[in-house]
Amino acid sequence: MAGLRLGPDDSELSQQSRAAPADLISDDDRSVAADSWSIKSDYGSTLDDDQRHADAAEALSAANLRAPSDYSSDKEEPDAEGVTSMLGLQSYWDAAYADELANFREHGHTGEVWFGADVMEVVASWTKNLCIDISRGRMPNHVDNIKSDPVEQGDKYLSDWSVLDIGTGNGLLLQELSKQGFSDLTGTDYSEGAIDLARSLAGRVGLPNIHFLVDDVLDTKLERQFQLVGDKGTLDAIGLHPDGSIKRVMYWDSVSRLVAPGGVLVITSCNSTKDELVQEVESFNQRSVTQEHDETPKDKFQYLSHVRTYPTFMFGGSVGSRVATVAFLRN
């Protein structure tokens, strides 16, 4: 199950009271927004490209797609107030990262790790094993059972993997991936403050080779494709926008162009279960086939594997976890 609160890493929390810029969002408003979503993500969107918005809305209506929050069997009707939040707005993240950047410059604090350091380390290590297995010519079914190679041995496989982290926030996930042996690393975020913070943090630990760019995944200007694209909370935040269902359609259209054929998309979410993410990908595949009218239609993404080591719990007769990390292969 997704959607339960997982607190930030206490070691990274600032104990100071900080005021947000008055023309953005107050501290009280940000606190309310944070309480409306179980884990703070690194991304949102306020893209207002009317034509692309209309196209996505038409596709959503034509396919009769439901918002991912509707897929859960324990919720018959979506709660409109429960599935939208200020965490889906760029203004929230601009204010939040302005605070974190100021705090870093004044005190040297890294900032908040909202999925927690443990989850971030699991994602990086698991992703490394997944990519090594694929490089060896194996399509894994149980990546968690693969014995991890030392970094120096993994380098020969990982050096060829180009990596993009969308909605990178403070860029800490890319730092973890660098420790695992990846070297061609790029992080994007639509918040300029996030990118400034990510560059400063990477420079402080001697990782200037990580490239950080201001870019909105829903209106990306990137012309390059990547063999590995990571998303830790980005899709969650996009779904919290008032037009979240439409923007999630736009998300998949954009991401499908960023992942190179044969490449991998790894999504970490606290608001969607593994099955919900798979269902969303299947809906995207169906919509793509309908739009392209291909004589030999082929799914753009297929389920590859997921992390099986997160702690689980029983709720309502179902077993779930607070976080889901799922990998999809780009055909």
Side-chain angles (χ1 to χ4, degrees):
M1 300 291 288
L4 297 185
R5 175 170 294 279
L6 180 64
D9 188 347
D10 292 339
S11 64
E12 302 294 349
L13 290 176
S14 169
Q15 300 301 316
Q16 281 198 304
S17 173
R18 296 169 294 176
D23 59 336
L24 295 174
I25 300 173
S26 70
D27 286 341
D28 289 341
D29 287 341
R30 285 216 306 273
S31 177
V32 171
D35 285 341
S36 71
W37 189 32
S38 59
I39 306 175
K40 180 178 178 182
S41 77
D42 292 334
Y43 210 90
S45 182
T46 55
L47 180 64
D48 291 316
D49 184 327
D50 293 340
Q51 185 57 52
R52 292 174 63 246
H53 193 281
D55 291 344
E58 182 179 355
L60 190 67
S61 175
N64 194 28
L65 301 179
R66 297 176 296 169
S69 58
D70 293 341
Y71 294 141
S72 179
S73 61
D74 62 357
K75 192 173 186 180
E76 295 183 0
E77 294 294 335
D79 180 357
E81 294 182 357
V83 298
T84 61
S85 165
M86 285 190 295
L87 281 86
L89 302 177
Q90 182 174 352
S91 57
Y92 174 88
W93 298 109
D94 284 342
Y97 283 115
D99 279 352
E100 291 202 359
L101 184 60
N103 200 33
F104 168 77
R105 289 171 174 169
E106 184 175 356
H107 304 287
H109 292 169
T110 298
E112 295 166 306
V113 184
W114 286 94
F115 278 89
D118 290 346
V119 169
M120 185 170 62
E121 291 169 3
V122 167
V123 171
S125 176
W126 180 85
T127 300
K128 167 197 170 181
N129 291 336
L130 174 69
C131 293
I132 289 176
D133 211 42
I134 293 173
S135 296
R136 288 171 169 169
R138 298 200 302 257
M139 285 300 167
N141 292 316
H142 299 284
V143 176
D144 298 318
N145 295 329
I146 299 173
K147 184 178 180 180
S148 177
D149 287 332
V151 171
E152 58 271 16
Q153 293 184 26
D155 281 349
K156 64 181 180 180
Y157 298 107
L158 302 179
S159 60
D160 293 332
W161 284 80
S162 55
V163 181
L164 172 66
D165 181 26
I166 54 177
T168 193
N170 55 23
L172 294 183
L173 177 59
L174 287 175
Q175 290 190 30
E176 287 297 321
L177 290 172
S178 178
K179 294 176 185 177
Q180 295 294 334
F182 292 93
S183 57
D184 185 354
L185 300 165
T186 301
T188 62
D189 201 295
Y190 68 178
S191 174
E192 186 173 349
I195 295 302
D196 287 344
L197 177 61
R199 287 171 177 162
S200 298
L201 292 172
R204 183 173 69 174
V205 296
L207 294 173
N209 60 309
I210 303 178
H211 304 288
F212 292 105
L213 305 169
V214 177
D215 187 73
D216 185 341
V217 66
L218 298 186
D219 188 25
T220 182
K221 301 302 187 293
L222 298 180
E223 297 180 354
R224 177 185 179 187
Q225 289 186 313
F226 297 81
Q227 290 167 293
L228 173 63
V229 174
D231 171 344
K232 184 171 70 70
T234 302
L235 184 58
D236 284 345
I238 288 175
L240 291 173
H241 190 277
D243 294 325
S245 295
I246 293 174
K247 290 183 181 295
R248 289 178 84 111
V249 172
M250 297 164 66
Y251 168 93
W252 286 105
D253 289 339
S254 182
V255 167
S256 68
R257 295 190 294 270
L258 291 172
V259 184
V264 177
L265 171 66
V266 176
I267 298 180
T268 298
S269 171
C270 68
N271 279 2
S272 297
T273 65
K274 171 253 183 181
D275 290 340
E276 288 170 346
L277 290 172
V278 171
Q279 176 64 57
E280 189 165 1
V281 165
E282 291 175 352
S283 296
F284 167 69
N285 288 334
Q286 294 171 6
R287 187 176 75 253
S288 298
V289 169
T290 301
Q291 291 175 340
E292 294 175 2
H293 304 290
D294 197 330
E295 294 182 358
T296 57
K298 188 175 183 180
D299 291 345
K300 289 192 174 181
F301 287 104
Q302 69 181 66
Y303 165 76
L304 191 59
S305 188
H306 70 280
V307 171
R308 295 170 171 83
T309 58
Y310 291 135
T312 60
F313 60 91
M314 181 72 71
F315 180 80
S318 299
V319 177
S321 63
R322 294 180 292 177
V323 181
T325 297
V326 188
F328 299 94
L329 181 69
R330 177 71 165 91
N331 292 318

